[in-house]
Each structure stands twice: as structure tokens, then as C-alpha cells.
Amino acid sequence: MKLKSYPVKGKFGKFGGRFVPETLIPALDELEKAYLKFSKDRKFKMELDYYLREYAGRPTPLYFASNLTRVMGGARIYLKREDLLHGGAHKINNTIGQALLAKKMGKERIIAETGAGQHGVATAMACAALGLKCEIYMGSKDIERQKLNVFRMKLLGATVHSVVMGSQTLKDAINEALRDWITNVRTTYYLLGSVVGPHPYPMMVCDFQSVIGREIKQQIRKLVKKIPSAIIACVGGGSNAIGTFHEFLDDKISLYGVEAGGKGFSIEKHSATLCAGTEGILHGMLSYLLQDNNGQILDTHSIAAGLDYPGVGPEHSFLQSMERVKYTNVSDADAVNSFLTLSNYEGILPALESAHALAYAMKIVKNYRKNDVIVVTLSGRGDKDVEVVEQYLEMDND
Ligand SMILES: *Cc1c(COP(=O)(O)O)cnc(C)c1O
């Protein structure tokens, strides 16, 4: 079976699907139809290419981390520099793609959810660039914790709605955004931030992010004239990882998805959904979840705000069940350590999310020979995380 050509009608094996109120089905049908039409449309593809190139800054470099390679010993480490994109992360690949689709569909009002604020900012940027109205749902606790990102969204012309339901964080913001969409489906486009949610979102977001892996394949061929031995990416909802892996699913390459091991499984302070979760339904999809025996969603933790989500994209659950991708996890401490290492040796501050992938690369690099190549997707830059790292280093973490 060719893994790359999945999904079939929104199902990845038994995972995925559309577990939503009936009133949303016509909207999802309309979205799927429009996406299938425009994703094949030459003019749409040209416009998307234009914005990715001239606005977002694609293609991003594939950088040989020669200092890190020398210090670590083992395979050569290459970094896919999504951190150099406009906004500082891969998220703009998806928000530009969906905002352009919304515009083609004649939807002038965009809604989105955000946790730490990064997807909210990336959505507000795309909407400003394309002249669309933007409203962001955000848990009131997150609004309190992420004041600067809230201000950024406002500067970019977005309205931010505070969600005071439930735990007042990301999962509640998603629920509110879905509620808004049900009410305003005719005029409104819901711009989801990762490869999660009901079909067609996981398929669509994967397509928009797959530019990462396509570029890696071209670039690595030119640079070393062979395919890498291993490719590593961090997994929150899973969009930068799927975007990295997809082009390589049918190749003989080890693929590693790295989740947030946080402070450890024994005290249940982590967000390693595939490593420690169970099957269930959340946000319109069947996938792995962090839940208790009654199906109640557990509180999650990661030092990297972007990995702090109790679910994961259904395609990852499928790829784990097929044993095509190995999912593993890295602790807060190891992520901070790799953040410091890369900053010090390469002059690149990685996002703490990306530092998880990097930490795993540093763990396995010695198992390879000098001629082997390992690619790590640097999903974002770490300027946003310097305060968190400073606080972490000041704390007594033993
Ligand atoms: C949001 C974010 C992530 C996690 O999202 P995915 O959908 O798993 O890619 C990872 N890295 C960075 C820098 C992010 O901003």
C-alpha cells in the first residue's frame, strides 16, 4: 500500500473521520468540494506559490550544522530552516493556504482558535495580507499568559475573543470556534491550525505543509546526492511533522516524531499523546488522546507551548499503528539542553518545540556513520522562548 496517497474519504485506517454535529456536515462538504477544486486549479496554485515565496519567504534553506555535527560525532545533521519564515515558524504555510482558499470561496470572515497565540498571530498575518476579517478564540487563561501575542494579533487587525468555559485554554477555544462556525457557517471560514479536526482539515493542512518535505527532498539531493538516513520533527498537533514526513512515507528512511515528555509520565505532566494516550474522539476526529478512564480530557504540560495539546492528528495515529513512523518523546530538561547547544554552537535559537526534535537527533546521531545524513525540521525560531528558558534555568529543576 502506498502510504502517501492516503486518505480515503477522510479516514486514515480507522482514524480521522467527521465526528461533528449534523449541522456542520454541509459546511465540511462545501469546504472539501472547494478545496478539491482549487487545489487542482492552476491560478490558485500560482497565487499560493507567489505568497509563499514573496510574502512568507520560501524556499527555506536546508542548513548543514557543521559545528553541531563536529561536537556530537556521527551522522551529518542538516536543519530545515522553517524558523526563517515570516512570523518565525511553519504555521504561515497553512494560514496563507487556507486564507487564500477562504477568499476563493467568497468567505470574508475568518475565525480561528489559538492556544499560546502562535496560530492566532499567523492567521491574523495571512488575513491582513489577503484583506480578510479575522476573529480569534483564545482561552482566558491563555490570554493572561500570552499578553504579547494578544497585542500582536490586535496590531495585525484581528479581534480576540476571550473563552471563559472549561479549563479556559486551547481545547475550549476550539469548542467555541466550532460553535461560532455552526452559527455563522454561510459567511464564515474556520481556519484550523494543525492536522487535526474533522475531514477535510487533516488532509488539507497536510497538503499545505507538505511543501517542507518536498523542498527537503530536492535540496538534500543537490547537497549530498542521496536520501537521508533519518528525518526528525516535533509533534504537537502534528502539522510540521506530517509536512516533513509526507514526501518520504514510501521511501526507505527512518522517520521520528518527537512528542513532549514534559516533567515525566509518572507525575502525568507531559503531552506525549501517541506515546502515552488511548484512542478516543475529540474535536471531530478519532485519534489518540490524553484522557482518563471516563473519557475526560487530561491536563497537559510542556515547556513548549506549541506542543501542549491533548490530541494529535489522525494520520499520525495511523502511521504509528502501521509502524511507519516511530513516535518518541523528549523531556523539558533535554529540550532546554538542546536549545542551549544549538544557540551556542550554531548561533541559531530554536523554538522550544523544535528543540524537542533536535534533542532526539542529538541522542541518536552517534548510532550513525559519518557519511549518513540526518535532517531535523526546525519548525520555528526561539526568540519567543528566551524568557521561558531564563526562568527554567533560574529554577531548581532537580
Ligand atoms: C505550533 C508549533 C508547533 C506544533 O504544531 P504542529 O502542528 O505539531 O507542527 C511546533 N513548532 C512550532 C515552532 C510551533 O509554532
Side-chain angles (χ1 to χ4, degrees):
M1 174 172 55
K2 285 263 184 271
L3 288 173
K4 226 176 108 178
S5 47
Y6 260 68
V8 182
K9 287 212 168 80
K11 297 284 265 192
F12 306 91
K14 67 177 163 184
F15 300 105
R18 267 183 188 172
F19 296 87
V20 295
E22 221 174 317
T23 38
L24 265 188
I25 297 291
L28 292 168
D29 280 340
E30 181 196 6
L31 175 60
E32 182 183 8
K33 222 175 122 200
Y35 175 68
L36 291 176
K37 177 178 154 205
F38 284 110
S39 59
K40 289 188 200 85
D41 181 76
R42 210 174 62 91
K43 215 173 138 224
F44 180 85
K45 285 203 257 187
M46 274 171 55
E47 259 177 87
L48 179 59
D49 278 355
Y50 171 82
Y51 280 105
L52 289 179
R53 187 177 67 242
E54 305 291 333
Y55 183 72
R58 302 212 73 88
T60 59
L62 185 67
Y63 181 67
F64 175 41
S66 59
N67 300 331
L68 185 66
T69 297
R70 194 180 59 244
V71 178
M72 297 308 300
R76 281 184 283 170
I77 302 173
Y78 283 79
L79 306 173
K80 182 56 174 165
R81 299 289 310 273
E82 295 296 292
D83 60 311
L84 293 176
L85 288 173
H86 179 50
H90 67 293
K91 287 193 168 69
I92 196 88
N93 299 327
N94 171 43
T95 58
I96 284 281
Q98 286 198 59
L100 199 58
L101 177 63
K103 201 167 170 170
K104 297 285 176 194
M105 292 172 73
K107 313 263 179 188
E108 301 269 303
R109 177 176 179 261
I110 306 290
I111 57 169
E113 81 296 338
T114 198
Q118 290 146 254
H119 175 58
V121 170
T123 303
M125 281 175 175
C127 289
L130 294 171
L132 296 161
K133 190 166 174 250
C134 179
E135 295 179 34
I136 305 290
Y137 285 92
M138 191 169 184
S140 54
K141 269 193 196 152
D142 288 333
I143 288 183
E144 197 49 44
R145 286 189 287 214
Q146 306 284 347
K147 287 202 176 100
L148 260 181
N149 274 341
V150 175
F151 187 52
R152 271 190 196 106
M153 288 180 248
K154 288 180 181 164
L155 289 173
L156 294 161
T159 307
V160 180
H161 298 295
S162 174
V163 177
V164 291
M165 310 273 290
S167 61
Q168 304 171 27
T169 57
L170 176 61
K171 69 176 165 59
D172 314 288
I174 297 179
N175 290 335
E176 274 308 299
L178 281 168
R179 231 165 264 150
D180 178 315
W181 201 31
I182 291 172
T183 318
N184 302 297
V185 89
R186 277 213 1 259
T187 56
T188 300
Y189 183 98
Y190 179 22
L191 204 161
L192 243 172
S194 190
V195 283
V196 298
H199 178 65
Y201 285 103
M203 171 184 81
M204 201 164 72
V205 178
C206 169
D207 286 353
F208 287 132
Q209 291 292 359
S210 290
V211 65
I212 302 174
R214 284 199 304 273
E215 283 180 9
I216 292 176
K217 202 172 223 179
Q218 285 181 356
Q219 289 168 320
I220 204 75
R221 266 194 197 134
K222 261 201 191 144
L223 286 166
V224 298
K225 300 190 175 49
K226 65 175 181 183
I227 54 170
S229 300
I231 303 186
I232 307 173
C234 66
V235 179
S239 68
N240 88 88
I242 276 288
T244 299
F245 298 159
H246 225 254
E247 188 63 28
F248 297 97
L249 284 180
D250 296 316
D251 298 338
K252 277 211 177 81
I253 295 185
S254 302
L255 301 172
Y256 297 98
V258 186
E259 298 191 312
K263 295 181 196 294
F265 290 6
S266 54
I267 55 168
E268 292 199 346
K269 276 184 112 31
H270 65 88
S271 37
T273 312
L274 289 160
C275 294
T278 48
E279 288 170 22
I281 290 168
L282 179 69
H283 300 141
M285 61 180 176
L286 173 66
S287 193
Y288 270 73
L289 308 176
L290 293 171
Q291 58 188 340
D292 67 15
N293 289 335
N294 298 318
Q296 293 299 306
I297 299 304
L298 296 171
D299 283 337
T300 53
H301 161 84
S302 171
I303 193 166
L307 301 184
D308 203 347
Y309 174 62
V312 69
E315 191 166 5
H316 287 291
S317 295
F318 172 68
L319 291 171
Q320 173 167 268
S321 72
M322 300 286 293
E323 298 182 9
R324 174 59 191 100
V325 179
K326 185 171 161 41
Y327 294 91
T328 176
N329 64 92
V330 152
S331 67
D332 287 353
D334 287 348
V336 169
N337 184 45
S338 80
F339 176 100
L340 299 175
T341 306
L342 194 71
S343 305
N344 202 350
Y345 285 107
E346 297 290 354
I348 298 170
L349 302 179
L352 278 172
E353 293 84 1
S354 324
H356 284 72
L358 192 69
Y360 191 69
M362 287 163 56
K363 241 176 231 172
I364 64 167
V365 68
K366 290 181 199 72
N367 304 341
Y368 291 87
R369 286 182 306 241
K370 271 191 150 72
N371 273 339
D372 292 332
V373 168
I374 291 183
V375 175
V376 181
T377 294
L378 226 54
S379 52
R381 66 170 180 236
D383 303 65
K384 66 180 178 62
D385 295 321
V386 290
E387 266 184 305
V388 174
V389 171
E390 186 185 28
Q391 278 167 17
Y392 185 90
L393 295 174
E394 279 169 2
M395 269 180 344
D396 191 9
N397 270 296
D398 300 320

